[in-house]
Every structure is written in C-alpha cells, then in structure tokens.
Amino acid sequence: MRHNLDSEKIVESFFEQTGCIGIVTPVRGYHLCWMLNSLLDMDFRAIPDEDIRLRRFDRDIHFNGYAYVSQDNKEHFIYENKTLGGFLISEWKHVDFILLVKMDDFDFIYIHELLNVIRSIDSITMAMELTDAQLKNPENLLI
C-alpha cells in the first residue's frame, strides 16, 4: 500500500499553531538576536541544525537559523530571508528576517505583544505579521 503525504494538510496544521513576523532591519542576524535577547530576556542562539538549505537553479542556498525555547515551551525561530543566492520566501522580498513562533495553543495576544516590542526597537525599520495565505511555497518554512 502506498502512502501519500497531504502537503496542504501539513502546511495548514503547521500554520494553525505558528505565528509569523516579518522583520525589516539593516542589522545582521546575530545582532538582531542580541537585541531581542537583551530586550525580551530571551536566549536566541545560532543553531546550525535549524538552518534552512534549499536547492535552486543547481545551486545550494543556505539561510541561517537561530532558535530559542521559552519556559512555557513556545519555540522561536529566526531565519534570514535574504542571501546572495536568493530569497527564502520570494513573496516577502522586502523582509530581511522571518520570526516563527510555534506553540501548542496559538496565542494571538502573545504574537501581537511580541510584534509591538519588536516595532519599538530603533534598529527595526518595520515589523509586520505575515500569513501563510500570502505564500506560494509555504513548505519552505516548515520546521
């Protein structure tokens, strides 16, 4: 018997429990993590296992990943959206970083409070909530 994965159901299930924030900033990933760690008492760290690697046009493209898990088990991931080889999510070309927050019970208020704090950081040009409805290839963000 052959089993087929229903990628639409997987993507839908993932985004039901995940908040997504796009961040526009001129700073590098490690500096963004340092700012969030300092301001929000988080502990983002570069985790090579969380990096995203894609193959496009016969080239391997690498997007750095940073991770932090809070005491209440909310998983936070920051990914670069831009590299010399292209974009992780081409629909969001204006976004420099994507912050994903996975949680067992989606907390809309938490995402908006986090978004407001990020917007208050001087080095952040813009931050906005992003949705999977805007994506052609949401599976690029599946973690």
Side-chain angles (χ1 to χ4, degrees), residues 12-19 101-107:
E12 182 179 315
S13 173
F14 174 80
F15 280 100
E16 283 176 357
Q17 299 175 338
T18 304
V101 183
K102 282 185 67 173
M103 45 197 126
D104 293 331
D105 296 312
F106 186 78
D107 186 348

Side-chain angles (χ1 to χ4, degrees), residues 84-138:
L84 293 176
F87 298 93
L88 176 62
I89 304 296
S90 60
E91 296 88 349
W92 297 335
K93 288 180 180 177
H94 62 288
V95 171
D96 297 306
F97 295 94
I98 298 167
L99 169 60
L100 297 174
V101 183
K102 282 185 67 173
M103 45 197 126
D104 293 331
D105 296 312
F106 186 78
D107 186 348
F108 184 78
I109 294 170
Y110 176 77
I111 295 299
H112 279 271
E113 288 173 350
L114 183 59
L115 183 58
N116 286 333
V117 171
I118 292 170
R119 285 177 175 158
S120 73
I121 300 172
D122 288 338
S123 298
I124 304 296
T125 306
M126 183 170 54
M128 76 289 291
E129 187 172 5
L130 304 171
T131 67
D132 61 314
Q134 302 165 312
L135 298 176
K136 291 179 188 170
N137 299 307

Side-chain angles (χ1 to χ4, degrees), residues 25-43:
T25 181
V27 303
R28 302 198 41 125
Y30 64 87
H31 190 203
L32 174 63
C33 291
W34 175 81
M35 288 187 298
L36 294 176
N37 289 346
S38 299
L39 191 61
L40 296 170
D41 197 31
M42 293 181 161
D43 191 24

